[in-house]
Amino acid sequence: MTSIELVSLLGGFVAIVATVVLALEFLAPQRMARLWLALERRRARLTLKRQRLAGAIEMPYLEGGKGEPLVLVHGFGGDKDNFTRVAGLLDRKSTRL
């Protein structure tokens, strides 16, 4: 197999994968959003945890690393996944919350 044939085959494979991903994004957007968030969390080495507050209120948060705590606080309208990409780049010697 020549290099031109290999590049053509690889390009076809990439096109098929891209088509499948785009189709899934269109047909099952909520599932794909959950999948992308799970992949981002995994890459950042964060785990989803929940803390029960007063009454029946439960607060989800992400945690990763070991050591001194580093608390990342989002603004109004944000959520726990605002810092997922940044958390993966922070020092692994701290506990990221």
Side-chain angles (χ1 to χ4, degrees):
M1 182 178 279
T2 67
S3 61
I4 293 174
E5 292 171 331
L6 186 60
V7 168
S8 177
L9 183 65
L10 183 61
F13 177 73
V14 169
I16 290 171
V17 170
T19 302
V20 169
V21 168
L22 288 174
L24 288 172
E25 284 280 353
F26 179 74
L27 297 173
Q30 289 179 339
R31 274 195 183 165
M32 290 301 290
R34 282 190 300 247
L35 173 66
W36 295 129
L37 283 174
L39 290 172
E40 287 279 345
R41 291 174 187 163
R42 186 174 183 180
R43 189 176 71 177
R45 296 183 182 140
L46 297 172
T47 56
L48 177 61
K49 298 197 174 184
R50 298 179 188 281
Q51 178 66 45
R52 185 166 301 278
L53 303 174
I57 298 172
E58 192 174 85
M59 184 175 79
Y61 65 97
L62 299 172
E63 183 178 47
K66 295 187 188 292
E68 292 291 321
L70 174 62
V71 180
L72 304 172
V73 181
H74 61 75
F76 180 75
D79 70 3
K80 65 193 171 309
D81 288 298
N82 281 110
F83 299 106
T84 303
R85 290 184 180 167
V86 174
L89 302 173
L90 296 173
D91 186 11
R92 303 239 189 258
K93 295 177 183 173
S94 64
T95 301
R96 294 155 289 158
L97 301 170

